[in-house]
Amino acid sequence: MSAAETEDRRSWMPYLLSAPALLLFIAIVLVPLAMTVLLSFHDWGQYKGIETVFILKNWREIWSDGYFHEVFLRTFRVAFLVTLLTAVLGAPEAYILSRMKSPWKGIFLLVVIGPLLISVVARTLGWALLFGGSGGVVNKALLNLGVISTPIPFMFTETGMMVALAHVLMPFMVLSVWAALQKLDPQIENAALSLGASQMTVLRRIVLPQIMPGILAGAIIVFALAASAFATPSIIGGRRLKVASTLAYDEFLNTLNWPLGAAVAVLLLIALVLIIVGSNRIIERRYAEVFR
Amino acid sequence: MAFLVLDGLTKRFGEHIAVENLSLAVEQGEFLALLGPSGCGKTTTLQMIAGFVTPTSGTITLAGQDLLAVKPAKRGLGIVFQSYALFPHMTAAENVAFGLEMQGVDKSERSRRVTEALELVGLGKFAERHPRRMSGGQQQRVALARALVIRPSILLLDEPLSNLDAKLREEMQIELRQIQRNVGTTTILVTHDQSEAMALSDRIAVMSQGRIEQIAPPHEAYERPATPFVANFLGKTNVLQAQVQSGQALLGEGRWPVPAGSPPRVLVTVRPEKIGFADGGAQALAGQVVTRIFQGNHWLYQVDTAHGRVTVIRQNSGETAPAEGEAVRLSWRQEDMSVRPAETAR
Ligand SMILES: Nc1ncnc2c1ncn2[C@@H]1O[C@H](COP(=O)(O)OP(=O)(O)OP(=O)(O)O)[C@@H](O)[C@H]1O
Ligand SMILES: [Mg+2]
């Protein structure tokens, strides 16, 4: 066999080997996605059902109707604030965890990851039980103690949605920062100390910049999951407070306006991809040195 | 009282004793080398002085003050870490400037001193480079500049030159020695390179398994090693077993007087470069050259004798060198050998 022949076969090998996975990916991701995109251009009427035509009606509706603007704005506002909340609480949490001694470290890490092991629905209902209306345990206690005169609103509020989402998504932030912290050389902090830096300065000038990539990676994950979350917003937001994913769900299953639901879903996907890719670009450029 | 005093310093990691009852006094302006094999507790000792490892017991005093009561950030020591510990998100210049910034040195003065320090270690052109884009040797020199620039009261160097090539290392050694002479900074250098320790320091503390074996000026430690370990660690040496008869050690046809009261079996230690080839005469140990290696300025011989293999180093001074297989007679001066009872051998 000549060398060229061997070379030829080698270059085909990777494609051949990845073909099964590629086919599966095309069948269960790309095809439905393409079909959803197509669907968003179809027409729909109360009595005629779905018409397979190519029109921009659904997109125009989303573009011009203030209701959709409100929903999308809410979706990204909630996602952004949830991301901020997890970063502000999760980064220090991860740092404290990494500084704990051996048995506690493992126990508290488990506590942090805990929420991931419980069903989203059970967890969200737990929050609802704590704060739901005047019947919620915490509200009841505070009311009885006289700390507050009206129950803290939680159900059907954006705040409630954010708190519950932040709780659910906290592990992703903590684990991502945790991974960045593991790469830190403890002697680097010692070096800064020996040069006369205070503990606060070490945290701010030495530790934070080094774990920034971890925080940002966590932020991207949390943002994407928060913007596309379904169970938590639908339980806490109910039918009144819609976000993009619950809106799409409603169009599909309640109104049965599949094309409009598809347009909402596709728009959410496009917006998410743009935001994530864009911020990733900026981050990679900004932190080129730390990422290497 | 000495400037820096370590007294009865001990550090245990669980069952393992890393440093055991170590006492050491360093004078102001002195250059002391901590020399020892890997894992003997050099870094641990240094980190205790720096304050990053808390001693299990013992005291450290600096200029009469209890150093253990002072926080690491307030000790004002310049440290070069074994792992460099550079700040990866800062450029070389920012790394060096950090300590000055913490001291509140104003900006123009700061940049002047940073440039000066980087020039000193030969990295003037690399000021804007990040550590991860530098070679190991360059990083090491940034670490050195960062420690020097704050003009510390004591400089703690943990193998600061280990990653440099031979030529650069020699240059940096001279540089280091000069800085130390000019500024008079008390310096403790950790190294496992005996030639580096001897070239740089006023005194060498040879460590083994957490203990100090000998503290002495390099020349003295080399010529009169206190223990066999020191003798072996500071350069090559020959240890020969010999019988003692009527106050004389018998080595081949040679008779060397030994101190009165020596036991019947002794160990005789002679440095390879102190052994010569005798033309004739009785005072010699006969042997046969096994290998002969040319090393530029000297020849290295392995000679088989009745007392074991002996290493001999001869200057390449132009005289004819015995060939491999040739029979030779080895001899040395009385004062160049040291004698120990065989029992103390380790
Ligand atoms: N944090 C630690 N926990 C447990 N054992 C340790 C710790 N640090 C050091 N040791 C042990 O203490 C001993 C001395 O370590 P040290 O780092 O001081 O050695 P060293 O002389 O600097 O060696 P090297 O030349 O390889 O750097 C070693 O046996 C090491 O395994
Ligand atoms: Mg070490």
Side-chain angles (χ1 to χ4, degrees):
Chain A
M1 197 193 308
S2 75
E5 253 173 89
T6 325
E7 191 66 27
D8 207 40
R9 184 169 310 172
R10 275 230 190 92
S11 66
W12 271 101
M13 263 325 208
Y15 298 100
L16 275 176
L17 286 173
S18 54
L22 209 62
L23 285 176
L24 191 70
F25 180 74
I26 289 171
I28 67 169
V29 178
L30 290 187
V31 171
L33 196 63
M35 284 168 75
T36 309
V37 173
L38 272 182
L39 187 60
S40 73
F41 290 103
H42 290 348
D43 192 14
W44 180 85
Q46 191 90 38
Y47 302 107
K48 59 183 178 181
I50 298 170
E51 258 189 305
T52 45
V53 289
F54 190 89
I55 52 167
L56 289 172
K57 185 181 132 201
N58 302 309
W59 291 95
R60 236 181 247 130
E61 195 175 337
I62 294 176
W63 183 255
S64 55
D65 191 339
Y67 175 66
F68 292 104
H69 297 177
E70 193 192 312
V71 168
F72 270 97
L73 217 62
R74 177 180 303 127
T75 307
F76 289 111
R77 182 171 56 235
V78 167
F80 178 76
L81 290 174
V82 165
T83 309
L84 207 64
L85 202 62
T86 52
V88 168
L89 295 178
E93 193 176 326
Y95 184 74
I96 293 168
L97 267 176
S98 75
R99 284 308 185 85
M100 280 183 166
K101 289 274 178 293
S102 184
W104 299 113
K105 208 175 189 171
I107 292 168
F108 277 92
L109 197 60
L110 203 66
V111 169
V112 171
I113 304 173
L116 288 181
L117 307 175
I118 305 165
S119 141
V120 181
V121 179
R123 206 174 337 136
T124 312
L125 283 175
W127 278 102
L129 285 177
L130 280 181
F131 282 99
S134 50
V137 180
V138 173
N139 274 337
K140 230 186 211 164
L142 290 178
L143 279 171
N144 288 346
L145 287 171
V147 180
I148 50 172
S149 54
T150 52
I152 300 170
F154 184 82
M155 293 304 286
F156 317 120
T157 63
E158 273 185 31
T159 321
M161 217 187 272
M162 280 189 268
V163 170
L165 273 176
H167 176 230
V168 175
L169 299 176
M170 191 65 83
F172 295 100
M173 179 60 79
V174 171
L175 289 180
S176 160
V177 176
W178 172 271
L181 279 167
Q182 295 310 300
K183 286 192 286 185
L184 239 60
D185 175 2
Q187 296 289 22
I188 291 181
E189 282 175 65
N190 285 346
L193 283 177
S194 78
L195 292 168
S198 69
Q199 199 66 51
M200 265 326 280
T201 312
V202 171
L203 278 180
R204 199 169 48 80
R205 298 274 313 269
I206 307 299
V207 176
L208 189 61
Q210 286 188 79
I211 61 169
M212 210 52 188
I215 296 178
L216 294 170
I220 286 178
I221 298 172
V222 169
F223 186 86
L225 290 177
S228 56
F230 174 75
T232 305
S234 73
I235 295 175
I236 300 221
R239 308 219 52 193
R240 269 183 268 166
L241 220 54
K242 291 257 164 59
V243 294
S245 58
T246 52
L247 176 67
Y249 175 85
D250 250 23
E251 293 299 338
F252 271 104
L253 291 190
N254 290 337
T255 328
L256 297 178
N257 188 349
W258 284 29
L260 185 59
V264 171
V266 170
L267 186 59
L268 177 64
L269 178 70
I270 292 172
L272 261 181
V273 167
L274 284 181
I275 291 174
I276 289 171
V277 170
S279 49
N280 200 39
R281 277 271 175 79
I282 296 171
I283 291 164
E284 273 187 354
R285 200 168 319 148
R286 172 74 183 72
Y287 289 96
E289 287 309 323
V290 190
F291 266 122
R292 271 162 53 87
Chain B
M1 192 173 179
F3 187 54
L4 176 73
V5 181
L6 318 186
D7 192 24
L9 214 53
T10 300
K11 179 65 194 179
R12 277 202 190 83
F13 292 109
E15 285 295 290
H16 181 78
I17 302 176
V19 174
E20 190 178 5
N21 198 15
L22 182 141
S23 297
L24 181 65
V26 186
E27 298 297 332
Q28 183 140 28
E30 187 176 2
F31 198 128
L32 182 101
L34 271 183
L35 178 68
S38 184
C40 71
K42 306 181 296 287
T43 298
T44 307
T45 306
L46 215 61
Q47 298 256 320
M48 284 194 281
I49 301 173
F52 304 130
V53 170
T54 319
T56 310
S57 63
T59 61
I60 304 176
T61 47
L62 177 63
Q65 258 197 330
D66 178 14
L67 199 61
L68 292 177
V70 184
K71 280 191 192 159
K74 302 274 179 232
R75 294 192 185 188
L77 311 176
I79 306 169
V80 173
F81 291 82
Q82 193 165 7
S83 59
Y84 320 146
L86 295 176
F87 311 132
H89 55 292
M90 297 186 190
T91 62
E94 285 167 344
N95 263 282
V96 178
F98 188 82
L100 296 175
E101 210 176 311
M102 293 301 117
Q103 289 179 349
V105 174
D106 72 65
K107 210 161 177 196
S108 59
E109 162 88 354
R110 205 157 71 205
S111 76
R112 191 183 59 73
R113 275 167 68 178
V114 167
T115 313
E116 199 179 276
L118 283 173
E119 293 285 346
L120 187 73
V121 294
L123 288 178
K125 288 201 187 70
F126 293 84
E128 297 312 316
R129 215 44 90 104
H130 279 82
R132 292 213 174 103
R133 291 184 197 273
M134 294 179 141
S135 72
Q138 289 166 342
Q139 291 181 35
Q140 212 159 33
R141 284 181 284 158
V142 174
L144 192 56
R146 186 177 68 176
L148 285 171
V149 79
I150 61 168
R151 299 186 186 148
S153 60
I154 298 183
L155 203 50
L156 303 176
L157 310 172
D158 200 345
E159 316 213 0
L161 310 177
S162 60
N163 250 331
L164 307 184
D165 60 61
K167 187 166 165 292
L168 193 56
R169 180 186 310 207
E170 206 164 291
E171 275 173 34
M172 292 304 296
Q173 282 176 356
I174 293 168
E175 204 60 67
L176 211 54
R177 184 74 233 200
Q178 249 164 20
I179 293 165
Q180 203 271 337
R181 286 260 163 77
N182 294 345
V183 187
T185 313
T186 310
T187 305
I188 299 181
L189 168 80
V190 161
T191 177
H192 55 237
D193 178 348
Q194 43 100 7
S195 65
E196 182 171 293
M198 290 201 270
L200 287 174
S201 56
D202 298 317
R203 282 192 306 160
I204 296 181
V206 184
M207 282 183 76
S208 161
Q209 294 175 2
R211 273 171 291 122
I212 289 188
E213 297 267 326
Q214 184 176 16
I215 309 178
H219 185 253
E220 190 182 319
Y222 185 82
E223 296 293 344
R224 280 185 295 285
T227 65
F229 176 83
V230 176
N232 267 316
F233 202 74
L234 293 181
K236 298 190 185 83
T237 196
N238 296 297
V239 181
L240 308 172
Q241 285 219 11
Q243 305 269 359
V244 174
Q245 253 173 29
S246 55
Q248 288 184 318
L250 309 184
L251 279 164
E253 297 144 43
R255 300 277 182 278
W256 276 273
V258 293
S262 291
R265 299 189 65 81
V266 292
L267 293 178
V268 170
T269 309
V270 199
R271 295 272 182 206
E273 70 275 14
K274 301 286 166 67
I275 301 177
F277 298 119
D279 304 329
Q283 194 68 337
L285 173 61
Q288 190 180 23
V289 177
V290 187
T291 53
R292 184 186 74 170
I293 298 166
F294 182 55
Q295 300 205 315
N297 61 349
H298 65 263
W299 294 92
L300 180 70
Y301 301 92
Q302 300 286 344
V303 180
D304 264 353
T305 70
H307 293 263
R309 186 159 291 184
V310 176
T311 305
V312 179
I313 291 174
R314 295 307 303 159
Q315 280 298 322
N316 176 19
S317 55
E319 63 196 48
T320 50
E324 286 179 7
E326 204 170 304
V328 290
R329 295 163 62 75
L330 308 177
S331 85
W332 55 88
R333 295 183 306 168
Q334 169 73 32
E335 59 265 38
D336 288 334
M337 69 179 230
S338 60
V339 179
R340 262 195 324 276
E343 287 78 37
T344 63
R346 257 192 272 161

